[in-house]
Amino acid sequence: MPFLPVPLGTDVLVYLLLAVVVGFAWYVRRHEHLRLPWLRVARTPAAMSALVPLVVFLLIGFLDSLHFRPALPAAPGAQAQNAPAAKGVAYAVDVKSVLDVLLDSLASKTERTYSAPLATHAFAKETVEVRGEGGKAGRQIRDYPRLQYGGTHLLNPERDWQADVLLTLFRGVALAVPLWLALSLFLVAACSGNENAASRNYWRAVWAGKTEMPWRAILIALGLLLAVVLPVILLSRHYHVLGTDKVGQDVLYLSLKSVRTALVIGTLTTLVMLPFAVLFGIMAGYLRGWVDDVIQYLYTTLNSIPGVLLIAAAVLVLQVYIENHPDLFPTAAERADFRLLFLCLILGITSWTGLCRLLRGEALKLRELEYVQAAQAFGVSEWRIMLRHILPNVMHIVMISVVMDFSGLVLAEAVLSYVGVGVDPSMNSFGTMINAARMEMGREPMVWWSLASAFIFMLALVLAANLFADAVRDAFDPRVRVGARPVFAPVLSLNKAA
């Protein structure tokens, strides 16, 4: 095989979470009472606008979760021999992902040190040798040397740089417009059928905001996304769009690689937290008595311990374990991934108490309702009552808490990595980028683009998640009443209607 699949621990959990989401979507489609809240979410313009960049982030994270080890090329004289094949194919030690292959042009363009966004020269002066006539050795001066990859296609950067950047931006926008128009027309044709009159009517309804699905908001968000992404792709062919860091790595590449870490922290921590919160919360509220006392004592004790200190102690214990068992982690990627998985576990154990309190209070209220008391009178077991009557009626709280906690967990990773108790330093994350930018902000001249890039990507991810979470909260909260809005039903055949 040209590659050897290497499913890391977090990769397996990501695949499991994806399977759970697909199964949950299939289950929701078969139950009307569950489908209606999600239809309310789908009819919210803000949620659907936020879903467009959120899907892009999820796609980046999924591509970065497909890891493998590429096969090494055969020895120079191996193919010339007529002997049988060797024992096996040799694979590289470095673990790569599908995203690494797609971004190889960014990862391979490494400069010597810092360079500003879209720069053609280095950020700091270096000693360069000026050649004399005929290629003879000349004198040495302090100047800004040309970059190895940034703007090398320009013969005279001082004269041609501005025009080249503006022309590339114009090309990117010019390419985004027809692509967006083609996607819009395909959408209208798919939603309205093949009749021309129906397509025209549906097109007018889309831009009037009268369709059941807020396609106008979705198309505007998609157009803005294409207007940003395509120019960046074209500029990255010849420039470092977001500059380079201290060792010359492209900051855009580091930012894209950090997306997976943020998504893993936000999703897998929830996967660890939910069993504790749901089980203990429902048990404490429904069973009461000594069970309630023990669970309350447990989460009160956990809340009394500073979370950062508990996480720091757990990470230090993990580091000692990894150093004493190096044979369990043959590659650096597996060692860093194990630390990330352990961090998700610790964050999940320390963050389930809030949701547990909410579910306990809701279970205390539900156990007094008539249908629960009727089930008790008929002799239904306590576990069956909790599973069939209590759990389905607290799922709206679980759903709201999950989507609302995602943003907090993403920001928590950045803070923990900044103080040095987060992910492994060799793993790309927004926290490690901010930690590396701490010293860069104090130098003169200031290197600001690493911090700015991490801030922009985190802002986009967290803002999209929060907008989507607000819509989910409004849809599942029984105290919120969503007003009716005009709905356009596409006419498939005007002749038949006549």
Side-chain angles (χ1 to χ4, degrees):
M1 292 178 62
F3 61 90
L4 177 65
V6 182
L8 303 178
T10 55
D11 295 341
V12 175
L13 291 180
V14 166
Y15 306 151
L16 176 63
L17 183 61
L18 183 61
V20 170
V21 170
V22 173
F24 178 73
W26 177 81
Y27 182 78
V28 166
R29 288 191 61 185
R30 295 169 56 91
H31 295 79
E32 184 71 18
H33 69 284
L34 295 176
R35 187 167 68 250
L36 288 178
W38 287 108
L39 288 178
R40 295 194 195 106
V41 175
R43 294 167 184 170
T44 306
M48 292 297 98
S49 300
L51 188 61
V52 174
L54 201 57
V55 168
V56 175
F57 281 120
L58 292 175
L59 180 60
I60 292 173
F62 178 73
L63 293 177
D64 204 15
S65 299
L66 302 174
H67 289 94
F68 64 93
R69 291 168 59 184
L72 295 175
Q79 297 181 354
Q81 299 176 357
N82 295 326
K87 294 182 179 180
V89 180
Y91 296 97
V93 177
D94 296 335
V95 178
K96 293 188 176 183
S97 66
V98 176
L99 186 67
D100 291 327
V101 177
L102 297 177
L103 301 179
D104 184 65
S105 59
L106 292 178
S108 59
K109 295 179 181 178
T110 304
E111 306 291 348
R112 295 182 59 184
T113 183
Y114 297 113
S115 65
L118 300 176
T120 59
H121 292 74
F123 186 68
K125 287 186 176 181
E126 299 179 7
T127 302
V128 296
E129 184 177 351
V130 179
R131 293 287 181 179
E133 296 181 359
K136 297 180 180 179
R139 58 191 181 91
Q140 292 182 343
I141 61 173
R142 297 281 295 176
D143 198 1
Y144 299 100
R146 286 287 300 271
L147 298 177
Q148 294 180 337
Y149 300 99
T152 53
H153 64 294
L154 301 177
L155 297 178
N156 191 345
E158 291 79 7
R159 181 192 63 193
D160 303 332
W161 175 82
Q162 184 176 4
D164 182 70
V165 172
L166 293 177
L167 181 61
T168 306
L169 288 174
F170 177 77
R171 289 175 179 171
V173 175
L175 183 61
V177 170
L179 180 59
W180 173 82
L181 187 59
L183 292 175
S184 302
L185 295 176
F186 174 78
L187 171 66
V188 171
C191 293
S192 61
N194 298 323
E195 298 290 341
N196 293 331
S199 298
R200 288 194 298 268
N201 291 337
Y202 197 75
W203 179 261
R204 296 191 190 100
V206 165
W207 292 108
K210 297 180 180 179
T211 54
E212 184 177 5
M213 185 76 69
W215 292 116
R216 180 176 63 178
I218 295 175
L219 291 178
I220 292 175
L222 181 61
L224 294 176
L225 183 65
L226 291 175
V228 172
V229 172
L230 291 182
V232 169
I233 292 176
L234 295 181
L235 285 171
S236 63
R237 297 171 56 190
H238 301 291
Y239 298 97
H240 299 287
V241 179
L242 298 179
T244 57
D245 62 358
K246 185 176 181 179
V247 296
Q249 287 184 303
D250 192 278
V251 175
L252 177 59
Y253 170 76
L254 298 178
S255 301
L256 292 174
K257 288 286 291 181
S258 301
V259 170
R260 177 186 180 270
T261 304
L263 293 176
V264 167
I265 290 288
T267 55
L268 296 189
T269 301
T270 303
L271 195 65
V272 175
M273 173 190 70
L274 282 183
F276 294 98
V278 174
L279 178 63
F280 291 159
I282 294 178
M283 287 177 59
Y286 181 77
L287 299 178
R288 298 191 301 183
W290 67 270
V291 176
D292 187 18
D293 294 336
V294 170
I295 294 176
Q296 285 192 72
Y297 178 80
L298 179 60
Y299 66 63
T300 302
T301 304
L302 274 177
N303 282 337
S304 64
I305 303 174
V308 176
L309 294 181
L310 182 61
I311 294 172
V315 170
L316 291 176
V317 171
L318 176 67
Q319 288 179 346
V320 174
Y321 177 80
I322 292 176
E323 292 176 357
N324 293 335
H325 301 83
D327 53 321
L328 298 178
F329 311 98
T331 62
E334 294 176 339
R335 181 169 61 249
D337 184 80
F338 183 75
R339 177 166 173 173
L340 175 62
L341 183 60
F342 190 79
L343 181 63
C344 293
L345 180 64
I346 294 299
L347 284 174
I349 292 176
T350 57
S351 60
W352 60 269
T353 57
L355 179 58
C356 181
R357 278 200 186 100
L358 294 176
L359 296 180
R360 174 184 175 273
E362 191 70 12
L364 284 172
K365 181 183 71 174
L366 292 174
R367 76 182 308 274
E368 304 298 334
L369 297 181
E370 290 81 359
Y371 64 89
V372 176
Q373 293 180 356
Q376 294 173 348
F378 279 106
V380 181
S381 65
E382 294 179 338
W383 287 103
R384 187 171 181 82
I385 292 176
M386 286 189 288
L387 183 63
R388 296 296 301 271
H389 298 292
I390 304 296
L391 180 60
N393 287 282
V394 300
M395 284 306 296
H396 67 282
I397 297 178
V398 175
M399 190 65 61
I400 294 171
S401 178
V402 166
V403 295
M404 295 296 291
D405 289 346
F406 173 82
S407 302
L409 293 171
V410 172
L411 298 176
E413 182 275 324
V415 174
L416 292 174
S417 297
Y418 176 76
V419 299
V421 294
V423 301
D424 192 85
S426 63
M427 175 172 286
N428 296 313
S429 74
F430 296 124
T432 55
M433 291 181 64
I434 295 174
N435 189 27
R438 177 178 55 180
M439 300 302 296
E440 299 172 355
M441 297 293 290
R443 57 170 289 167
E444 182 63 32
M446 182 175 61
V447 179
W448 53 268
W449 48 87
S450 294
L451 180 62
S453 302
F455 172 79
I456 291 173
F457 274 80
M458 288 184 64
L459 175 64
L461 177 59
V462 173
L463 180 60
N466 282 343
L467 291 175
F468 189 78
D470 288 342
V472 173
R473 180 196 60 197
D474 295 340
F476 281 86
D477 194 342
R479 296 170 296 178
V480 177
R481 292 293 180 264
V482 182
R485 56 193 301 266
V487 176
F488 172 81
V491 181
L492 298 181
S493 177
L494 296 180
N495 296 328
K496 294 181 180 180

